[in-house]
Amino acid sequence: MRVFVTGASGWIGSATVDELVAAGHQVVGLARSDASVARVEAAGATALRGDLDDLDAIRRGASESDGVVHLANKHDWANPVATNAAERAVVETIGTALAGSDRPFIVASGIAGLASDRPATEADPNPFVGPDSMRGGSENRGFDFVDQGVRTIAARFAPTVHGIGDHGFIAAIVAAAEQQGVSGYIGDGTNNWSAVHRSDAARLVRLGLESAPAGTRLHAVAEPVVSTRSIAEAIGEGLGLPVTSIDPADAESHFGFIGRFFGLEMSATSTETQERFGWTPTGPTLAEDIAAGAYFDVRVS
């Protein structure tokens, strides 16, 4: 299969490219810089120069593919309106290019906001609809194309897709601990996050691309519930810092942008995903990665 991947040189995307190439697929990766081009080509894929604002390049990549994996996101925390608008425009461009073809289209999504008082399941609909909602309502917008002959699949990733070299949410929490001299959690720290190792997430993307029917919601979740207090305790132990509660009112000043999320319930199960697609996570747990030092030489970029 010729697969077009956005975010091909990113954290999840580069692992996904490796997974697809190893499985014998021909991969074309969207690359926005010379460094990204080099990383994509070093992985055995072909680079297509462009970024999320280059809808012509994205249309070309999708049109010439047998399937699309859309993983890129601007992650501009200072300008969420522009980030959400770009996300929606890309999903609409890809969906239109694939219309009537029955080709697969993996849309990256998340589990935040699916449920507030329990772990979310694959049966939970995404509440974000419309261009002004989180991620521009991209999961639901992608599913709009199912009726137009696109095999759209939502890949809902745990809030932490962890591993050595991760510059995401956990790295931001570690950076805050180092800066503040304490490893903090918000409130009583009993809210939970889910976690998945990067290698497991990439394998699930491949399985979904190859076999998931239209309208499937995949949960890339290996550990359904990891309390935020236990995350802070693991970081504190690794850095040799005291662990303390942070008042919710002080969360953003203490943690930076990640304070908006660290106090939220962002947990989910993946029972249906594992049973339907034979996906059994095998990578290290989040605690194991933290204990191994995966985050202590990493800085947020």
Side-chain angles (χ1 to χ4, degrees):
M1 186 184 299
R2 179 183 171 92
V3 185
F4 176 51
V5 180
T6 73
S9 63
W11 176 241
I12 301 175
S14 57
T16 298
V17 169
D18 289 343
E19 176 75 24
L20 291 171
V21 169
H25 297 292
Q26 179 185 359
V27 178
V28 177
L30 188 69
R32 65 180 179 178
S33 67
D34 290 343
S36 295
V37 168
R39 285 194 292 271
V40 168
E41 293 180 343
T46 300
L48 173 62
R49 193 64 180 260
D51 58 25
L52 290 185
D53 294 318
D54 189 348
L55 298 181
D56 287 338
I58 289 169
R59 186 178 297 108
R60 174 187 164 198
S63 298
E64 297 176 353
S65 74
D66 299 313
V68 177
V69 177
H70 172 45
L71 299 173
N73 189 284
K74 286 189 172 184
H75 295 301
D76 185 351
W77 305 110
N79 193 353
V81 172
T83 295
N84 293 341
E87 174 70 5
R88 189 174 183 87
V90 169
V91 168
E92 290 178 339
T93 298
I94 295 172
T96 300
L98 298 180
S101 68
D102 292 321
R103 285 176 283 176
F105 176 22
I106 301 277
V107 178
S109 187
I111 61 172
L114 299 181
S116 60
D117 57 351
R118 59 171 173 78
T121 73
E122 293 90 340
D124 287 310
N126 191 302
F128 304 111
V129 179
D132 297 328
S133 61
M134 184 183 295
R135 300 184 73 104
S138 59
E139 178 179 316
N140 285 309
R141 187 68 184 96
F143 282 144
D144 288 343
F145 288 97
V146 170
D147 291 338
Q148 299 179 42
V150 180
R151 182 160 62 90
T152 306
I153 300 133
R156 293 173 168 176
F157 294 99
T160 173
V161 181
H162 56 88
I164 296 172
D166 176 19
H167 285 72
F169 281 2
I170 298 299
I173 296 167
V174 170
E178 293 179 315
Q179 181 178 357
Q180 301 291 345
V182 296
S183 182
Y185 55 89
I186 298 174
D188 60 10
T190 57
N191 62 297
N192 297 297
W193 278 17
S194 293
V196 66
H197 191 266
R198 176 176 176 244
S199 62
D200 290 320
R203 182 157 42 88
L204 180 58
V205 170
R206 176 182 62 79
L207 291 171
L209 183 79
E210 293 173 343
S211 63
T216 297
R217 303 177 184 120
L218 299 172
H219 276 200
V221 170
E223 296 178 89
V225 290
V226 183
S227 75
T228 53
R229 179 168 183 164
S230 71
I231 294 172
E233 289 171 343
I235 292 170
E237 182 175 353
L239 293 175
L241 293 175
V243 179
T244 188
S245 171
I246 305 300
D247 189 293
D250 299 326
E252 195 157 348
S253 62
H254 180 91
F255 290 100
F257 82 91
I258 194 61
R260 307 173 201 171
F261 306 101
F262 199 34
L264 299 178
E265 181 71 23
M266 294 200 289
S267 62
T269 63
S270 59
T271 303
E272 181 181 334
T273 295
Q274 294 192 44
E275 290 177 351
R276 288 183 67 189
F277 301 102
W279 177 67
T280 302
T282 58
T285 66
L286 176 58
E288 288 170 343
D289 264 344
I290 293 173
Y295 290 90
F296 303 137
D297 293 320
V298 176
R299 296 296 180 269
V300 179
S301 61

